Amino acid sequence: MMVRQTIASRSGRLVAAGVALVVASGLVLVPADASQGDVQRLMYVHVPAAWVGYLAFFVVFACSAGYLWRRDPRLDRLAAASAEVGVMFTGLAIASGSIWGKATWGQWWDWDPRLTTTAVMLLAYIAYLLLRQTVSEQRRRGRVAAAFGLIAFLNVPLVHFSVLWWRGLHQAPTVLRPGDPTIDHVLLAQLLASVAAFSLAYAWLVWQRTRLEGLLDTAVTRD
Amino acid sequence: MIRQSPVTDAAFVFAGYLVVVGGVALYAVTLRRRVAKAAARARAIRAYAAGPDDAEPAVTERRAP
Amino acid sequence: MSRRVTLLGLVLTGASLLVLVGVGLSSAVVYYRTPTELLAAHDTGATRLYGLVVPGSVRTDPTTHRLDFRVTDGTDTVAVESTALPTALFRDGVGVVLEGRLGTGGVFVADNILIKHSEVYEALKPGQTIPPGVLPSPLSVAP
């Protein structure tokens, strides 16, 4: 128990240091964008937060499918953990995007397809978390949540392709597009480093959140 | 004269970074506290299950900490 | 959290989700129109118009706070008048989404000017500065 605590603390500090590093380099080290200037630096937190949201919800999807197949409670806990962390990152992606939007577009929010589908995706996963709260019996909760987790994932490709399928205010993808990324190598390196650091933060948070879910379940079944 | 937003780029960037990094940090700190609390409770329950004393169990029902 | 409160939250979230989908689909399917489409439709209702700011077309009036410029999709060009204040990215050649309506005389009256910036990013080279906006910068104008 104590050993695991120490590993959690040390790895947590390591991940925090990694995030601090990419944040510092994103803020001051990399050159500004030739068109937007310094405001474009918001990309290095906005894009990773949005990416981690996708990643988290994919994990919910995969674990939900796995749970329905295998009925392993660990998959259910992982899905619950990933959903909560994903909701947090998606919320932060919307908040930082809103600030970037105010600075460049001239507006905090707009009912553009990308923003609208993202809001729907966020609400769907908030509903997923609320749904879990309403069912107290573990196996039933696992089944219901897994079914919802499969359906809710339909939102995710909709969010990604919204900028390509429909006209809107939000720009098209820079990196996840057919052909070369439309971004300079230095800026791309910074973006990828940010995505990597945020993904590690996601992994650490989900690990801890899964542990919490396990502890809560243990408290019930062992009693 | 036609004027644009007086808010500087630096302020927007600072606010955005603060929201994201602060948000993640706040979640992480809260999560650690939740884990510690749940671990303590699980230990108490195990101690109760193993021990001969007939004290009341710490928790009988799952609650989100 | 009691079960009833959570259920209520669930229902409210579900309901707002449906409203969002409704709002989104009704306004987002045709988010904006191009100058060619707008001129062909002869529609004077509230709409969004997207085009590139024609280089050299921007005129500002310091007394009336009015902004005149033209937007183009490469085929057709629409004259625009507005009292809205776009961000510093408002430049020659930039993409703009205009909220407003086609007025008499074929001039589009824009209540709002949004900049639709591109997904292309380039590092600023040492000594290089970002291109100035066509409007005076707030930092260079006395209040």
Side-chain angles (χ1 to χ4, degrees), chain A residues 76-110:
Chain A
D76 180 45
R77 285 181 212 137
L78 184 55
S82 193
E84 188 180 290
V85 176
V87 161
M88 186 212 39
F89 275 103
T90 303
L92 295 178
I94 290 176
S96 57
S98 181
I99 292 168
W100 195 8
K102 180 62 185 171
T104 53
W105 302 337
Q107 209 164 272
W108 299 104
W109 181 264
D110 188 67

Side-chain angles (χ1 to χ4, degrees), chain A residues 9 39 41 84 213 217 220, chain B residues 9 17 27 32 34 62:
Chain A
S9 294
V39 175
R41 295 180 190 279
E84 188 180 290
E213 197 70 11
D217 281 348
V220 182
Chain B
D9 285 7
Y17 274 64
Y27 180 79
R32 296 235 58 187
R34 287 159 80 194
R62 179 190 160 122

Side-chain angles (χ1 to χ4, degrees), chain A residues 14-218:
Chain A
L14 223 68
V15 169
V19 171
L21 218 68
V22 295
V23 161
S25 83
L27 275 177
V28 289
L29 219 64
V30 289
D33 174 58
S35 167
Q36 291 185 30
D38 283 325
V39 175
Q40 181 267 340
R41 295 180 190 279
L42 283 167
M43 185 193 207
Y44 309 130
V45 287
H46 171 70
V47 171
W51 150 256
V52 168
Y54 288 170
L55 172 69
F57 298 146
F58 176 73
V59 169
V60 176
F61 172 75
C63 289
S64 297
Y67 182 80
L68 288 179
W69 181 36
R70 280 294 186 52
R71 301 294 157 113
D72 185 339
R74 284 174 301 180
L75 288 174
D76 180 45
R77 285 181 212 137
L78 184 55
S82 193
E84 188 180 290
V85 176
V87 161
M88 186 212 39
F89 275 103
T90 303
L92 295 178
I94 290 176
S96 57
S98 181
I99 292 168
W100 195 8
K102 180 62 185 171
T104 53
W105 302 337
Q107 209 164 272
W108 299 104
W109 181 264
D110 188 67
W111 293 107
D112 142 285
R114 168 57 73 84
L115 276 66
T116 308
T117 51
T118 308
V120 170
M121 178 176 77
L122 179 68
L123 283 176
Y125 284 93
I126 289 174
Y128 172 90
L129 293 174
L130 287 174
L131 183 68
R132 296 191 66 94
Q133 300 260 328
T134 58
V135 188
S136 50
E137 203 270 305
Q138 262 185 49
R139 294 178 60 85
R140 211 176 104 74
R141 182 176 65 228
R143 278 199 311 273
V144 172
F148 195 100
L150 285 181
I151 298 164
F153 190 71
L154 289 173
N155 275 299
V156 177
L158 207 63
V159 172
H160 179 71
F161 289 107
S162 59
V163 286
L164 300 171
W165 291 344
W166 299 299
R167 296 171 175 186
L169 185 59
H170 196 285
Q171 71 277 17
T174 294
V175 179
L176 296 176
R177 66 192 288 278
D180 283 339
T182 53
I183 181 169
D184 264 10
H185 293 316
V186 196
L187 309 190
L188 179 63
Q190 166 66 45
L191 183 63
L192 295 180
S194 289
V195 166
F198 274 63
S199 302
L200 281 179
Y202 160 79
W204 188 86
L205 290 170
V206 167
W207 171 37
Q208 291 299 303
R209 184 61 185 82
T210 307
R211 231 188 105 200
L212 173 63
E213 197 70 11
L215 286 168
L216 295 174
D217 281 348
T218 311

